[in-house]
């Protein structure tokens, strides 16, 4: 009997050993499916997502699962998620055709979901969206075309109907490109999209389309880099839940000219504050939490940050903007170019987090006039000096450099928007692409068409030979691909729609955004403790007239009357009345002086025989530029352009002078009772025209009404500080140097307070704290004693 028992025991042991051996040799991955997407979970490895419609299959190697993206039944290095991103990118670049690399270099024009591009938009099976019967998440014919035939993989997304529509569109786009060629996923991007809308209502349990925060200049008013980093962390999570893996931000230009149209998108004129805010912003966007990290700080919560605009876009002569021919020159009368690079060199390129530096840079449209020692005056993206000599070789940046949108398009006149081949107007479209590549850039913003990139390739072959030009193309391909690999898109570019709905605009994120809005409001004046208001007070909030205008892209906006604060929301704080006689106090909401879309130029004046150039005014009333320079520092000698761009002795007034009239009329109507002005501000403003007539003045950097009302009513104490100077008058604006920070005389109010950088009030008076001690001293290095 014993031998039989021993044999049975031995057999059982062998079976157990065999079972565990087989288990140990089995795959370490499992597969599930949800909403048409297959999810592969690797034990101790990366989670994969793929669409069964793409034709991609899962390969098993060393018991792990890998996507066979090029469908060749072989695990290639770029498909192996165990390898470093650099190695994978180099392998994939070597496998790509010239046509595929050309497509990778493209960055689409602005795309709405639904609707496609601007203007008439895209079509759906040949029909407009409204007539097509298509779903909002379907791709347009044009999107299918540029993804399929032009090999484009970088899509700029603007408005989306809802988070779930954005997520579904992303999944549709990723399923399409996954089945094409080498299976390179789409790297979708966005301009800043978190700014608050004034009449949106916030409640403690609010969820929304996306969390709402102050804009860049409003966040700068907090003087709190940790708050900025928190914004980046939350915004990046929401971006990824929308299918967005690249942010075309932050805008780290030093706004040293207060007239610049894009001032509000910056962190202001302070080199120190802008540098700290830039670093915090990028760290927040690029760094994944530990549980979502892949490697080196990068992971599934990371969003590539494209810092802009190298080497600084805030010095346009006369404050003009380079989206137009009349603003194409950046000038440096103070010899201050190096200071404008500080937010890049000490901020964007010196992160505290593991990602090290911003993954991408965007040069500005401007010609940095007479700054190239070689004497070339071309737009920054065309400049070998600025891109290769400085950015890449001197400062060691080897990430993606993407042009701003439309720099290769033909110039169509001084006031034409977004056609900006500055300094290379004489070149063909193909030649401009070639010059950009030779300058050291990698990508063409706003171009859906691969043809001119392929033309540029052939120019390079002719000049340098096939091998050299192929190497140059692969160099850019590696940079571009690394930004896709590091954020995990090759493993799983797909979104869980239910997760998107729960993440985007969730109550915690909405609360954080609203708290940031409160910290951005700046109280400049509070005469006789007019604020806070008591709940029993009757408040008069007059309607505001909004004159006709046009937006940044030239679309007309008709004139209208508006309630500048939501009456429903205001009624939650105090009794409101339409009768100033019965009111205890008035709240007047106005906007800073507005010069219009083509600020600084008039085509009508040019047609009438003048040079067409005008002053940009920061006051409401009539302003004559008696102090303006003549001749201008920069100009264009071509016959069809203007060499002397001076506007000396010309006169303008703000389009919204009715705002100033509203303040005056309300003061009269209130007959000595307190008047509070809430100034919605995008640019520094000359407030001397009305400040002495009002008892309180608050600055609103485009936040929700509730944030302002919480402060007016005393529910929250103001804590914001001016991240800029409020000029004493237009004379000091006109004589300041475009590239020098803090060289204006600040306005001094009736209480004796100077509205200078770092100034703000709380209920106890002037704020003096660790923030002012840290940052205000830097603004006092400039001698303003001789400022007019």
């Amino acid at each position: 009997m014993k031998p039989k028992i021993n044999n049975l025991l031995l057999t059982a042991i062998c079976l157990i050993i065999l079972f565990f051996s087989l288990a140990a040799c089995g795959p370490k991955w499992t597969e599930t499916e949800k909403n048409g997407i297959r999810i592969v979970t690797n034990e101790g490895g990366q989670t994969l997502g793929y669409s069964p419609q793409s034709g991609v299959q899962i390969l098993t190697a060393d018991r792990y699962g890998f996507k066979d993206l090029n469908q060749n039944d072989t695990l290639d290095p770029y498909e192996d998620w165990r390898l470093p991103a650099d190695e994978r990118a180099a392998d994939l670049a070597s496998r790509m055709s010239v046509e595929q690399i050309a497509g990778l270099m493209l960055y689409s024009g602005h795309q709405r979901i639904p609707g496609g591009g601007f203007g008439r938009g895209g079509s759906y099976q040949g029909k407009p969206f409204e007539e097509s019967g298509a779903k909002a998440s379907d791709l347009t014919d044009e999107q299918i075309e540029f993804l399929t035939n032009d090999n484009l993989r970088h899509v700029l997304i603007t408005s989306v109907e809802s988070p779930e529509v954005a997520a579904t569109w992303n999944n549709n786009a990723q399923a399409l490109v996954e089945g094409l060629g080498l299976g390179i996923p789409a790297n979708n991007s966005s301009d800043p999209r978190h700014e608050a809308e004034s009449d949106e209502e916030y409640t403690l349990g609010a969820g929304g389309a996306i969390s709402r925060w102050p804009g860049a200049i409003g966040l700068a008013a907090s003087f709190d880099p940790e708050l900025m980093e928190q914004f980046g962390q939350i915004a990046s999570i929401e971006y990824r839940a929308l299918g967005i893996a690249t942010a075309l931000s932050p805008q780290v230009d030093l706004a040293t000219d207060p007239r610049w149209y894009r001032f509000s998108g910056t962190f202001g004129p302070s080199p120190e504050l802008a540098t700290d805010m830039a670093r915090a912003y990028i760290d927040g966007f690029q760094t994944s939490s530990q549980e979502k990290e892949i490697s080196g700080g990068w992971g599934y919560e990371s969003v590539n940050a494209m810092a802009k605009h190298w080497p600084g876009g805030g010095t346009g002569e006369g404050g003009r903007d380079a989206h137009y021919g009349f603003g194409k020159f950046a000038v440096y009368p103070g010899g201050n170019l190096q200071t404008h690079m500080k937010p890049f060199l000490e901020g964007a390129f010196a992160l505290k987090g593991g990602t090290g530096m911003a993954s991408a840079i965007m040069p500005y449209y401007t010609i940095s006039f007479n700054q190239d020692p070689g004497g070339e005056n071309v737009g920054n993206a065309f400049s070998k000096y600025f891109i290769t000599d400085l950015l890449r070789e001197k400062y060691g940046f080897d990430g993606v450099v993407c042009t701003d949108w439309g720099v290769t398009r033909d110039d169509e006149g001084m006031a034409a928007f977004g056609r900006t081949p500055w300094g290379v107007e004489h070149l063909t479209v193909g030649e401009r692409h070639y010059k950009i590549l030779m300058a050291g850039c990698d990508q063409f913003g706003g171009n859906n068409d691969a043809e001119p990139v392929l033309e540029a390739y052939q120019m390079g072959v002719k000049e340098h030979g096939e091998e050299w030009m192929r190497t140059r193309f692969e160099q850019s391909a590696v940079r571009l691909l690394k930004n896709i690999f590091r954020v995990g898109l090759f493993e799983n570019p797909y979104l869980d729609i239910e997760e998107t709905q729960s993440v985007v605009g969730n109550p915690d994120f909405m609360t954080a955004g609203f708290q940031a809005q409160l910290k951005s409001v700046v109280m400049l004046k509070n005469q006789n403790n007019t604020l806070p208001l008591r709940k029993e007070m009757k408040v008069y909030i007059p309607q505001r007239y909004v004159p006709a205008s046009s937006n940044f892209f030239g679309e007309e906006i008709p004139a209208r009357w508006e309630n500048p604060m939501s009456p429903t929301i205001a009624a939650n704080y105090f009794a409101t009345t339409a009768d100033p006689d019965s009111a205890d106090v008035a709240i007047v909401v106005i906007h800073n002086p507005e010069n219009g879309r083509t600020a600084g130029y008039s085509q009508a004046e040019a047609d009438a025989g003048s040079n067409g150039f005008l002053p940009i005014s920061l006051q409401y009333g009539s302003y004559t530029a008696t102090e303006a320079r003549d001749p201008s520092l920069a100009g264009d000698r071509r016959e069809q352009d203007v060499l002397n761009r001076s506007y000396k002795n010309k006169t303008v007034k703000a389009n919204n002078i009715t705002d100033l009239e509203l303040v005056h009329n309300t003061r009269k109507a209130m007959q000595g009772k307190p008047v509070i002005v809430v100034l919605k501000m995008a640019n520094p403003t000359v407030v001397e025209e009305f400040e002495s007539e009002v008892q309180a003045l608050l600055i609103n950097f485009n936040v929700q009404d509730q944030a302002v009302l919480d402060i007016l009513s005393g529910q929250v104490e103001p804590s914001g500080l001016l991240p800029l100077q409020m000029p004493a008058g237009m004379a000091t604006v006109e004589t300041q140097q475009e590239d020098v920070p803090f060289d204006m005389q600040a306005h001094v109010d009736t209480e004796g307070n100077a509205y200078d950088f770092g100034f703000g009030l709380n209920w106890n008076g002037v704020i003096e704290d660790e923030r002012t001690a840290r940052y205000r001293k830097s603004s006092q290095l400039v001698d303003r004693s001789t400022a007019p």
Side-chain angles (χ1 to χ4, degrees):
M1 291 294 292
K2 279 186 178 182
K4 187 173 182 181
I5 293 172
N6 288 341
N7 288 340
L8 289 172
L9 181 60
L10 183 61
T11 301
I13 291 171
C14 289
L15 288 171
I16 292 170
I17 292 171
L18 179 62
F19 173 81
F20 282 105
S21 297
L22 290 172
C25 294
K28 286 188 174 183
W29 59 270
T30 58
E31 181 172 293
T32 58
E33 184 168 332
K34 185 175 182 181
N35 297 327
I37 304 300
R38 290 182 181 168
I39 303 298
V40 174
T41 303
N42 280 295
E43 181 184 329
Q46 297 300 318
T47 298
L48 316 179
Y50 72 102
S51 169
Q53 281 74 45
S54 69
V56 166
Q57 300 294 321
I58 299 299
L59 301 172
T60 300
D62 300 328
R63 299 167 58 208
Y64 290 109
F66 301 87
K67 292 164 69 173
D68 185 14
L69 289 166
N70 59 4
Q71 303 181 41
N72 67 348
D73 296 324
T74 301
L75 178 60
D76 298 305
Y78 86 91
E79 298 166 330
D80 189 342
W81 44 259
R82 298 168 298 184
L83 297 178
D86 291 12
E87 185 176 338
R88 298 176 72 188
D91 175 71
L92 178 51
S94 71
R95 298 171 186 273
M96 296 175 71
S97 67
V98 168
E99 290 76 14
Q100 288 169 328
I101 296 177
L104 195 65
M105 290 176 168
L106 303 177
Y107 222 127
S108 83
H110 301 70
Q111 300 293 310
R112 298 167 294 172
I113 303 173
F118 281 126
R120 296 181 62 185
S123 60
Y124 296 79
Q125 296 187 336
K127 297 180 180 179
F129 175 70
E130 295 77 11
E131 301 173 12
S132 66
K135 297 177 182 177
S137 55
D138 287 347
L139 275 63
T140 67
D141 299 336
E142 292 77 10
Q143 289 163 355
I144 294 170
E145 169 72 17
F146 63 59
L147 290 170
T148 303
N149 296 329
D150 290 291
N151 297 298
L152 184 148
R153 290 297 180 272
H154 293 81
V155 183
L156 173 55
I157 295 172
T158 58
S159 61
V160 298
E161 184 176 283
S162 67
E164 53 267 35
V165 165
T168 306
W169 182 93
N170 170 79
N171 289 356
N172 290 338
Q174 300 292 4
L176 171 65
V177 298
E178 188 174 66
L180 300 175
L182 296 162
I184 299 172
N187 181 358
N188 303 323
S189 68
S190 175
D191 282 310
R193 61 191 313 117
H194 278 83
E195 289 193 26
E197 299 292 337
S198 63
D199 58 352
E200 287 183 321
E201 185 168 8
Y202 168 78
T203 59
L204 187 60
I210 201 165
S211 61
R212 297 301 187 184
W213 298 71
I217 196 65
L219 282 166
S222 73
F223 278 56
D224 184 355
E226 290 184 4
L227 178 65
M228 180 66 79
E229 187 169 355
Q230 180 194 30
F231 162 70
Q233 291 166 347
I234 290 173
S236 66
I237 292 170
E238 292 188 308
Y239 271 32
R240 292 303 300 267
L242 293 169
I244 295 167
T246 294
L248 302 187
S249 56
Q251 187 184 333
V252 304
D253 311 279
L254 289 184
T256 49
D257 193 292
R259 298 164 290 189
W260 188 29
Y261 190 93
R262 302 187 70 177
F263 189 104
S264 65
T266 75
F267 303 133
S270 166
E272 288 72 23
L273 181 61
T275 296
D276 288 350
M277 290 297 192
R279 184 188 308 109
Y281 186 110
I282 298 167
D283 266 330
F285 266 86
Q286 290 192 170
T287 307
S288 285
S289 61
Q290 187 173 356
E291 58 270 21
K292 295 288 186 177
E293 183 178 351
I294 298 171
S295 178
W298 293 101
Y300 293 102
E301 291 172 343
S302 297
V303 171
N304 293 288
M306 186 180 291
K308 57 189 185 184
H309 302 88
W310 176 261
T315 69
E317 185 166 16
R320 298 183 293 270
D321 183 68
H323 278 87
Y324 304 91
F326 58 77
K328 64 185 173 183
F329 292 107
V331 294
Y332 297 87
N336 227 20
L337 173 64
Q338 193 66 34
T339 300
H340 283 260
M341 297 181 187
K342 181 182 173 101
F344 294 94
L345 306 182
E346 299 179 29
F349 299 168
L351 304 182
K352 294 180 179 179
T355 64
M357 64 172 58
S359 67
I361 291 293
M362 182 187 293
Y364 204 39
Y365 299 112
T366 44
I367 296 171
S368 297
F369 189 68
N370 284 351
Q371 299 303 301
D372 179 351
E376 186 178 47
N377 280 309
V378 293
N380 294 312
F382 299 98
S383 170
K384 180 180 179 294
Y385 172 71
F386 278 108
I387 305 304
T388 293
D389 297 355
L390 288 184
L391 180 60
R392 294 215 185 274
E393 294 181 354
K394 183 174 183 178
Y395 299 121
F397 181 76
D398 193 39
V400 169
V401 178
C402 176
T403 76
D404 214 328
W405 264 232
V407 299
T408 59
R409 301 171 190 155
D410 288 332
D411 178 18
E412 292 188 352
M414 194 75 79
F417 173 80
R419 310 184 72 86
T420 55
W422 308 142
V424 294
E425 292 92 340
H426 61 288
L427 299 182
T428 67
V429 172
E431 288 168 341
R432 291 174 197 145
H433 281 77
Y434 182 57
K435 187 168 178 62
I436 286 168
L437 288 172
M438 294 303 100
C441 297
D442 305 295
Q443 198 165 31
F444 304 95
N447 182 8
N448 303 349
D449 182 7
E451 189 58 37
V453 186
L454 295 172
E455 185 181 348
Y457 180 83
Q458 292 304 323
M459 292 177 188
V461 170
K462 185 176 181 180
E463 181 175 359
H464 298 286
E466 182 87 41
E467 182 180 355
W468 188 95
M469 197 60 192
R470 170 76 200 193
T471 300
R472 173 64 189 87
F473 254 43
E474 286 192 26
Q475 181 184 45
S476 286
V478 168
R479 292 170 180 152
L480 291 159
L481 289 167
K482 281 197 297 186
N483 288 357
I484 307 177
F485 277 114
R486 291 188 296 203
V487 297
L489 289 176
F490 274 89
E491 276 57 73
N492 186 14
Y494 297 97
L495 300 173
D496 182 325
I497 310 302
E498 294 173 2
E499 184 176 339
T500 291
Q501 291 173 313
S502 67
V503 166
V504 178
N506 71 61
D508 289 343
F509 290 176
M510 296 293 281
T511 297
F514 186 73
Q515 292 300 313
Q517 292 180 49
L518 292 169
K519 293 177 181 179
S520 76
V521 177
V522 183
M523 184 166 71
L524 294 182
K525 185 175 183 179
N526 190 21
Q527 189 178 70
N528 300 324
N529 293 322
T530 299
L531 297 174
L533 301 177
R534 300 185 306 277
K535 187 171 181 63
E536 64 269 18
M537 283 182 163
K538 279 191 175 182
V539 178
Y540 170 55
I541 307 175
Q543 283 197 320
R544 175 177 179 264
Y545 177 73
V546 183
S549 63
S550 58
N551 67 16
F552 201 61
F553 300 100
E555 297 167 328
E556 295 300 319
I557 303 171
R560 67 190 187 279
W561 284 92
E562 69 173 12
N563 288 312
M565 279 187 171
S566 165
T568 303
I569 295 175
N572 294 328
Y573 291 84
F574 28 63
T576 58
T577 177
D579 177 16
D581 289 338
S582 64
D584 299 306
V585 63
I587 299 173
V588 183
V589 181
I590 60 175
H591 290 211
N592 62 266
E594 295 168 352
N595 290 266
R597 179 175 62 91
T598 57
Y601 185 78
S602 167
Q603 189 62 55
E605 288 218 1
D607 293 342
S610 82
N611 69 359
F613 286 81
L614 297 172
I616 298 174
S617 179
L618 301 182
Q619 70 183 37
Y620 296 95
S622 181
Y623 164 62
T624 300
T626 57
E627 303 292 328
R629 66 170 65 101
D630 188 10
S632 61
L633 293 176
D636 191 327
R637 294 183 179 276
R638 294 178 306 136
E639 183 178 349
Q640 65 270 40
D641 213 295
V642 177
L643 179 60
N644 184 2
R645 297 175 166 218
S646 176
Y647 48 82
K648 187 177 178 68
N649 295 322
K650 291 186 180 181
T651 301
V652 293
K653 64 180 179 181
N655 292 353
N656 60 328
I657 192 173
T658 48
D659 278 355
L660 179 63
E661 294 166 355
L662 180 62
V663 175
H664 291 326
N665 292 339
T666 303
R667 174 180 174 269
K668 292 175 183 176
M670 290 301 290
Q671 302 178 44
K673 292 179 286 187
V675 174
I676 301 162
V677 167
V678 175
L679 174 58
K680 284 189 171 183
M681 201 168 76
N683 287 84
T685 298
V686 175
V687 296
E688 66 174 349
E689 294 172 293
F690 66 84
E691 177 271 317
S692 63
E693 302 180 23
V694 305
Q695 283 63 54
L697 175 60
L698 267 67
I699 303 301
N700 170 3
F701 291 112
N702 198 33
V703 299
Q704 291 170 273
D705 290 343
Q706 279 170 280
V708 176
L709 289 164
D710 273 3
I711 288 173
L712 290 172
S713 64
Q715 296 185 25
V716 175
E717 185 171 26
S719 64
L721 302 169
L722 275 179
L724 47 84
Q725 291 181 293
M726 298 286 269
M730 278 305 298
T732 192
V733 172
E734 204 65 73
T735 56
Q736 58 88 34
Q737 295 179 307
E738 287 92 338
D739 62 325
V740 177
F742 309 129
D743 60 341
M744 294 189 297
Q745 180 182 353
H747 175 80
V748 178
D749 71 9
T750 58
E751 307 301 289
N753 291 318
Y755 293 175
D756 213 334
F757 174 79
F759 173 74
L761 300 173
N762 57 23
W763 302 140
N764 294 318
V766 177
I767 298 172
E768 299 283 355
D769 59 19
E770 59 192 18
R771 299 172 300 160
T772 59
R774 180 178 181 182
Y775 291 109
R776 194 186 291 162
K777 63 175 185 247
S778 65
S779 73
Q780 296 168 349
L781 300 177
V782 176
D783 179 12
R784 299 178 211 136
S785 60
T786 59

